[in-house]
Amino acid sequence: MNKRQNKITIVDVATEANVSFGTVSRVINNDIHVKPETRERVQQTMERLNYVVNRQAQKLAGGRSNVIGLLVPDLGTGYIGEIIRGIDSELTLSDYDLMLYTTHRTASKEAGYVFSLAQDMVDGILLVLPRNPVDYTGTLAKKKFPFVLIDHQGTGKDCPAVGASNWQGAFNATDYLIQLGHKRIGFITGSLDLGAAIDRLDGYKTAMRTRHIPVESDLIYEGTFAQPDGYTGTIQFLNVEQPPTAIFASNDCMAMGVIDAIRDHGLKIPDDISVIGFDDIPQASLVRPALTTVQQPLEQMGRLATQMLLEILTDTDSKPHRIELPTQLMIRDSTAKPKAVQANREVIP
Amino acid sequence: MNKRQNKITIVDVATEANVSFGTVSRVINNDIHVKPETRERVQQTMERLNYVVNRQAQKLAGGRSNVIGLLVPDLGTGYIGEIIRGIDSELTLSDYDLMLYTTHRTASKEAGYVFSLAQDMVDGILLVLPRNPVDYTGTLAKKKFPFVLIDHQGTGKDCPAVGASNWQGAFNATDYLIQLGHKRIGFITGSLDLGAAIDRLDGYKTAMRTRHIPVESDLIYEGTFAQPDGYTGTIQFLNVEQPPTAIFASNDCMAMGVIDAIRDHGLKIPDDISVIGFDDIPQASLVRPALTTVQQPLEQMGRLATQMLLEILTDTDSKPHRIELPTQLMIRDSTAKPKAVQANREVIP
DNA sequence: TGTTCATATGGAAGCGCTTACATTATTTGA
DNA sequence: TCAAATAATGTAAGCGCTTCCATATGAACA
């Protein structure tokens, strides 16, 4: 059906411009060996004919396709959306297109399959938090295929990656709570098979210990980054003999669950319990009370990762490195001094 | 760098299976003319060799690429995310991959360019709310390229499309407010160059007139679907001699702006002013008070559109049709009877 | 047993491009 | 001025596949 349309090819341009198609190809690829006038003439012809290079053929013939692949685990959360925006805006500047793969789709098939597919389609791959990282990075590295990891606190392996300082972010958030006067701080973890989740837990623990506050196991609830975990974890905390006066959820989604649970128990935020999240997804500032959270520069991460990939793509042998972007505590309305301290304050002065 | 890898081709499979590559191709394409045993043998060989067909070559040689293109205006809102999820989940079932184009990127270049690009890359196109619809649909139709429009109340042209009943949704929401007792209802429109926005405005007006409530121009504010419009519009409404007791924003984003504005004026929702949105994006139920809104079945729209496209792709001559999905009023906490009515109630009984 | 069909397979051409390599035009130096 | 070097262009092969046409293999019939 869509065959033999009025598609114009390199040959048409060549004929029209009175050169061989080889020359046209050279113009397309910015080859040195073209006389300026010829180049000019060919370019004008291309424009006049509305010629657009066929990337399939380009890639097939051994060139680049100017397409980069993006592998994401899921589209559910605003989280990925932010990252994609960064990627997209960076790509805009560079004439690359984007191929989107959701890894959950091919969960059954092995990682290798995805690559075989992607490989002859795209020039490089951006990998967001794969479910089974080693699988992917292993295959990728072995095939020497250009790629950059996003938000993946790696398996020690030094491959190009951009992430955020999860540890520092969690540390700061916890420390902030402690400074407010909180001593009993509940922590809800993410999926602990993810480096980011571990780092956040570590940051929390370290902050507690630094301030000589014991880390109690019944104030740590193991979640999976999903909203219901926040709810369940909170319920559990509330049943502890001496419930926490603050809850730190490993991401904003779970923090929303925390808020719901607290509210359902007739308690007020932040008066009775303070809540902190992680990520700073768009709705964090929209909920009431506005959520205090640790901001991850998601969009910037996407942007940076793209830049890195593009660099690898051009500068064939740029050494792999890992960039860690700073996180930032966004103090909003869901945190306050614990009641006891507030009371004290009122009495003392 | 990534040339001459251990990539295995159709020829490798052929050799290994002791048939010609033509036969292998036939197996791949489910051609009738292959002896069952041969087919079986070839398939096993493919599996053993981890063969994955090269879609570029496939497409280039005149076949399908099993990739469909998705054109979206932007990734900003959760809105698109929801749609993509639907598309993705449907695609999962059908072994197609997804190519993502953001049209804002190529705003400068004409629509035709995008297609020339997409055309030899993908088998069909899903188009979400393009900025300049006619441009796109025109080119598309002319080239007889398979496509489906999503959430685009078209230009009369009957091309395959799936949308939601914007008119009905707006009508119902408005009527609900009226039934609650509201008489002065502010309406904030979307970009009126979009059919969906017009339909919503129409639904509002019709509901008002049906109930014999005059439509007043100073209770209609022309927005663009962006959050700040909600804020600005509300400020304007509040300065009207007799301000509205309810505000209906044409989408949830703007409703968030409305909420902020009301709050900044020291008024309470829904006690002083009721608020209704449109879309039911994820955070609608997360904000406080939870937003009453008109739910668009975004994910389902994505899913349906994909099904339609896939059908067009297989069943070459299925006639184009437009599907309209019902919208649904989600009553939550941002709407209530107006004060006057509440007062009456307390007095009368 | 030899003819016909249908059925199954092999092989060539070509999709639009890149990239050697071959060829021709142009410059430079003596 | 002419050879030698260099710049510019043309050409063929091939990327991995589909598809059409040709050939080979049987089965069915006379």
Side-chain angles (χ1 to χ4, degrees):
Chain A
M1 160 207 300
N2 60 6
K3 307 200 59 179
R4 217 62 313 276
Q5 285 170 133
N6 45 354
K7 287 183 76 47
I8 46 141
T9 77
I10 201 176
V11 178
D12 300 321
V13 176
T15 315
E16 195 75 10
N18 255 310
V19 293
S20 79
F21 59 86
T23 303
V24 177
S25 176
R26 269 174 220 114
V27 171
I28 293 173
N29 294 285
N30 281 313
D31 192 303
I32 302 292
H33 304 294
V34 181
K35 188 154 54 174
E37 311 141 44
T38 312
R39 176 185 306 280
E40 177 68 12
R41 180 155 40 93
V42 171
Q43 264 162 348
Q44 282 180 0
T45 310
M46 294 201 297
E47 215 147 290
R48 184 155 52 76
L49 261 43
N50 270 317
Y51 169 75
V52 178
V53 59
N54 182 329
R55 292 185 172 177
Q56 311 253 37
Q58 237 180 329
K59 179 84 183 176
L60 185 57
R64 19 162 220 37
S65 67
N66 270 19
V67 176
I68 76 136
L70 173 61
L71 257 68
V72 303
D74 186 13
L75 270 344
T77 65
Y79 165 84
I80 300 285
E82 288 297 297
I83 295 180
I84 298 189
R85 293 182 69 182
I87 295 171
D88 183 59
S89 69
E90 200 59 33
L91 250 31
T92 304
L93 273 39
S94 62
D95 196 41
Y96 266 81
D97 279 319
L98 192 62
M99 183 101 199
L100 185 67
Y101 294 92
T102 44
T103 52
H104 75 85
R105 294 178 48 182
T106 38
S108 53
K109 309 170 185 175
E110 54 204 323
Y113 173 81
V114 178
F115 288 127
S116 309
L117 249 189
Q119 196 168 316
D120 41 43
M121 208 71 148
V122 308
D123 296 338
I125 287 185
L126 249 25
L127 207 51
V128 179
L129 261 191
R131 204 80 93 201
N132 35 1
V134 199
D135 239 31
Y136 281 91
T137 57
T139 319
L140 236 24
K142 196 167 61 203
K143 295 203 180 185
K144 284 172 168 283
F145 196 81
F147 72 103
V148 174
L149 257 30
I150 299 180
D151 198 11
H152 169 254
Q153 319 305 113
T155 45
K157 294 272 240 169
D158 61 337
C159 35
V162 6
S165 54
N166 288 289
W167 188 92
Q168 188 69 46
F171 180 94
N172 291 350
T174 310
D175 199 57
Y176 168 71
L177 288 173
I178 296 173
Q179 301 234 29
L180 281 178
H182 294 278
K183 288 198 155 46
R184 298 193 58 76
I185 302 173
F187 186 85
I188 300 179
T189 79
S191 311
L192 288 180
D193 51 341
L194 255 29
I198 297 174
D199 286 354
R200 291 174 196 178
L201 177 57
D202 264 14
Y204 159 80
K205 284 181 177 171
T206 308
M208 295 291 272
R209 289 189 183 122
T210 304
R211 297 284 183 173
H212 307 294
I213 300 177
V215 172
E216 294 182 27
S217 63
D218 53 356
L219 287 187
I220 295 180
Y221 177 85
E222 192 171 332
T224 64
F225 281 131
Q227 181 157 349
D229 297 325
Y231 196 95
T232 320
T234 304
I235 303 288
Q236 190 162 313
F237 289 157
L238 259 21
N239 287 329
V240 170
E241 187 168 354
Q242 199 184 341
T245 58
I247 297 179
F248 182 4
S250 286
N251 73 350
D252 289 347
C253 279
M254 295 197 298
M256 302 295 174
V258 171
I259 291 176
D260 279 347
I262 293 175
R263 222 175 238 128
D264 286 356
H265 267 63
L267 298 174
K268 303 215 70 171
I269 303 166
D271 309 328
D272 298 309
I273 299 185
S274 287
V275 179
I276 279 190
F278 207 113
D279 280 354
D280 196 25
I281 57 178
Q283 57 252 53
S285 57
L286 259 27
V287 294
R288 301 297 153 176
L291 186 66
T292 295
T293 188
V294 180
Q295 179 181 66
Q296 282 206 84
L298 259 16
E299 185 172 345
Q300 199 191 341
M301 281 161 61
R303 181 173 263 126
L304 224 57
T306 309
Q307 287 173 0
M308 281 177 61
L309 184 59
L310 259 30
E311 192 185 310
I312 296 177
L313 250 29
T314 48
D315 193 12
T316 32
D317 46 23
S318 62
K319 61 260 158 244
H321 53 174
R322 153 172 258 288
I323 293 181
E324 188 134 306
L325 259 29
T327 48
Q328 189 185 352
L329 184 61
M330 306 298 289
I331 299 175
R332 292 201 268 253
D333 312 328
S334 66
T335 45
K337 294 180 194 305
K339 267 182 174 166
V341 175
Q342 287 176 329
N344 276 348
R345 267 288 166 85
E346 279 159 25
V347 173
I348 295 171
Chain B
M1 165 207 298
N2 60 6
K3 306 202 57 176
R4 217 63 310 280
Q5 282 168 134
N6 43 353
K7 287 184 77 46
I8 46 142
T9 78
I10 203 176
V11 178
D12 300 321
V13 175
T15 316
E16 195 75 9
N18 255 310
V19 292
S20 80
F21 59 85
T23 303
V24 177
S25 175
R26 268 173 224 115
V27 171
I28 293 174
N29 293 287
N30 281 313
D31 191 301
I32 303 292
H33 304 292
V34 180
K35 188 154 55 172
E37 310 142 44
T38 312
R39 178 186 305 281
E40 176 69 10
R41 181 155 41 92
V42 171
Q43 263 162 350
Q44 283 180 358
T45 311
M46 293 200 299
E47 214 146 292
R48 184 155 52 75
L49 260 42
N50 271 316
Y51 170 75
V52 178
V53 58
N54 181 331
R55 293 186 171 177
Q56 311 253 37
Q58 238 180 326
K59 180 86 184 173
L60 185 57
R64 11 156 230 40
S65 68
N66 270 18
V67 176
I68 76 138
L70 173 62
L71 256 67
V72 302
D74 186 12
L75 269 345
T77 65
Y79 166 84
I80 299 286
E82 289 297 297
I83 294 180
I84 298 189
R85 292 182 70 182
I87 295 171
D88 183 60
S89 69
E90 201 60 33
L91 251 31
T92 305
L93 272 40
S94 62
D95 195 40
Y96 267 82
D97 279 318
L98 192 63
M99 185 100 198
L100 185 68
Y101 294 91
T102 43
T103 52
H104 74 85
R105 293 178 48 182
T106 39
S108 53
K109 310 169 185 176
E110 55 203 322
Y113 173 82
V114 178
F115 288 127
S116 309
L117 249 188
Q119 196 167 315
D120 41 43
M121 207 71 147
V122 308
D123 296 336
I125 288 186
L126 250 26
L127 208 49
V128 179
L129 260 191
R131 204 80 90 202
N132 35 1
V134 199
D135 236 32
Y136 280 92
T137 58
T139 319
L140 235 21
K142 196 169 62 203
K143 296 204 179 184
K144 284 173 166 281
F145 196 81
F147 72 103
V148 174
L149 257 31
I150 299 181
D151 197 12
H152 169 255
Q153 319 305 112
T155 45
K157 295 272 240 170
D158 62 337
C159 36
V162 4
S165 54
N166 289 289
W167 188 91
Q168 187 68 48
F171 181 93
N172 291 349
T174 310
D175 199 58
Y176 168 71
L177 287 173
I178 297 173
Q179 301 236 28
L180 280 178
H182 294 278
K183 287 198 156 45
R184 296 193 59 75
I185 302 174
F187 186 85
I188 300 179
T189 79
S191 311
L192 288 179
D193 51 341
L194 255 28
I198 296 173
D199 287 355
R200 291 175 196 177
L201 176 58
D202 264 13
Y204 159 80
K205 285 181 176 170
T206 308
M208 295 289 275
R209 290 187 181 123
T210 304
R211 297 286 183 174
H212 307 294
I213 300 178
V215 172
E216 297 182 26
S217 65
D218 54 355
L219 287 187
I220 295 180
Y221 177 86
E222 192 171 333
T224 63
F225 282 133
Q227 179 156 351
D229 296 324
Y231 196 95
T232 321
T234 304
I235 302 289
Q236 191 161 313
F237 289 157
L238 259 22
N239 287 329
V240 170
E241 187 169 351
Q242 199 184 340
T245 59
I247 297 178
F248 181 5
S250 285
N251 74 351
D252 288 348
C253 278
M254 294 197 299
M256 303 294 173
V258 172
I259 291 177
D260 278 348
I262 294 176
R263 222 176 238 128
D264 286 357
H265 267 63
L267 298 174
K268 301 214 74 172
I269 303 166
D271 309 327
D272 298 309
I273 299 185
S274 287
V275 178
I276 279 191
F278 207 113
D279 280 354
D280 196 25
I281 57 177
Q283 55 252 51
S285 57
L286 258 27
V287 293
R288 300 299 152 174
L291 186 67
T292 295
T293 188
V294 181
Q295 179 181 66
Q296 282 206 84
L298 261 14
E299 185 172 344
Q300 201 192 339
M301 283 161 61
R303 180 174 262 126
L304 224 58
T306 310
Q307 287 173 1
M308 283 177 62
L309 184 59
L310 258 29
E311 193 186 311
I312 296 176
L313 250 27
T314 50
D315 194 11
T316 33
D317 47 21
S318 60
K319 59 261 159 244
H321 52 177
R322 152 171 259 290
I323 293 182
E324 188 133 304
L325 259 29
T327 47
Q328 190 186 351
L329 185 61
M330 306 298 288
I331 299 175
R332 292 201 267 254
D333 312 328
S334 66
T335 45
K337 295 181 194 303
K339 265 182 174 166
V341 175
Q342 286 176 332
N344 276 350
R345 267 289 167 83
E346 279 158 23
V347 172
I348 294 170

